[in-house]
Amino acid sequence: MKEFDQMMQNEGPDQMVYTDRERQRFAYIGKWLGRLFWLMIMSNIPALATEKWVLQNFPLLYWMGQALTLVSLMGIGVILLMLSREEKRYRTAGICQLIAGAASWALNILEGVEMNENWTLLISLPGLVVALIALYQRLMAHADLLCDLDPTLCCKWRKLWTWNLVTCVYEIILAMLSVFSAIVLIALDGNLVWTLLLFIALLIVTIVSTAFTIVEYVYLYRSVKLFRNLREAGAAV
């Protein structure tokens, strides 16, 4: 009896026996998480065409990039809503993603046509809050899905939210310092040391933020792989 208990304790989630209904659930989650993974990666490509220098030199490419960016942002929201069938947090994540995606796209359009900065500020601040909510709900939903299947990966998803939140706080602080420093530098006729330090800090935070984005892709890939393995695991009972 003790040997049997030890075997059960050592048995991983991909070695257990699941019902047909459970395996269909794993297949559904794996399919939509896989689509989310590829769309999140592919969404970075049209975003490259939305830079201001592209608008100045290749306006057609710029507007095509804006259109594809909007489609990809909305697509991510739709996929999250599809996943809400299996985890309720995805519903909030999907709705917030649609709102944040529309706000981000509108912000890019306003910057591209050089609209009044008051409109840009009016959209960017609420958009940032909604985007944070979307990120939190998305990462926590991933964690909740894996809570009983892979506790280690579940904890990594939760820690990733903490890292992203800390990075976001630093970005806000540095943005405020940038505005403050611009006023101070005008009064002091410029201070290269302060400007250099601020630039280095912004560069470091940008690199860290990019690293966390890559980590999210890695965790998402591992989650997709887990659910696809679970779909094939064991015989139905």
Side-chain angles (χ1 to χ4, degrees):
M1 188 66 181
K2 290 182 179 179
E3 294 179 356
F4 176 78
D5 291 339
Q6 291 177 353
M7 289 176 61
M8 292 301 294
Q9 291 175 359
N10 295 330
E11 189 172 335
D14 58 343
Q15 297 173 319
M16 296 178 64
V17 177
Y18 298 100
T19 64
D20 286 337
R21 184 175 181 179
E22 287 174 324
R23 295 170 70 186
Q24 289 174 1
R25 176 174 179 267
F26 295 149
Y28 182 87
I29 295 173
K31 177 181 72 175
W32 287 104
L33 282 182
R35 292 176 178 178
L36 178 64
F37 170 76
W38 286 112
L39 185 55
M40 288 181 69
I41 291 179
M42 297 299 293
S43 65
N44 294 305
I45 298 176
L48 296 175
T50 59
E51 300 293 335
K52 286 187 177 181
W53 69 269
V54 179
L55 176 61
Q56 295 172 355
N57 297 280
F58 309 99
L60 179 61
L61 180 61
Y62 174 84
W63 293 112
M64 288 179 60
Q66 289 288 2
L68 291 175
T69 297
L70 178 62
V71 171
S72 61
L73 292 174
M74 296 297 103
I76 291 173
V78 171
I79 291 176
L80 293 173
L81 290 175
M82 296 299 296
L83 284 165
S84 66
R85 193 184 83 173
E86 303 298 336
E87 172 53 50
K88 293 181 179 179
R89 282 185 183 271
Y90 282 121
R91 179 177 176 79
T92 304
I95 294 173
C96 290
Q97 171 63 33
L98 291 174
I99 297 173
S104 176
W105 182 77
L107 185 62
N108 287 337
I109 294 296
L110 290 176
E111 290 179 348
V113 297
E114 297 183 354
M115 289 290 289
N116 191 298
E117 292 184 359
N118 292 331
W119 284 102
T120 301
L121 187 62
L122 184 65
I123 295 175
S124 62
L125 291 180
L128 175 62
V129 174
V130 176
L132 277 175
I133 296 174
L135 177 63
Y136 171 77
Q137 293 293 342
R138 184 175 77 242
L139 298 184
M140 291 300 103
H142 294 333
D144 290 346
L145 277 180
L146 297 165
C147 185
D148 297 325
L149 299 171
D150 192 334
T152 300
L153 188 54
C154 171
C155 290
K156 289 181 178 180
W157 276 118
R158 298 188 190 280
K159 288 180 181 179
L160 184 60
W161 158 248
T162 303
W163 297 339
N164 275 280
L165 180 60
V166 171
T167 304
C168 182
V169 170
Y170 275 109
E171 287 178 341
I172 294 174
I173 293 174
L174 290 174
M176 294 174 64
L177 286 175
S178 298
V179 176
F180 175 75
S181 64
I183 300 174
V184 173
L185 290 177
I186 292 174
L188 298 178
D189 294 328
N191 189 321
L192 294 179
V193 175
W194 172 256
T195 304
L196 181 61
L197 290 175
L198 187 60
F199 172 78
I200 293 174
L202 286 169
L203 181 61
I204 292 174
V205 171
T206 301
I207 294 173
V208 171
S209 180
T210 303
F212 288 157
T213 300
I214 296 174
V215 170
E216 181 179 355
Y217 295 157
V218 173
Y219 288 172
L220 188 55
Y221 175 79
R222 290 177 59 184
S223 300
V224 172
K225 187 176 180 181
L226 173 64
F227 281 105
R228 288 179 177 174
N229 289 339
L230 289 173
R231 180 191 60 188
E232 305 297 333
V237 296

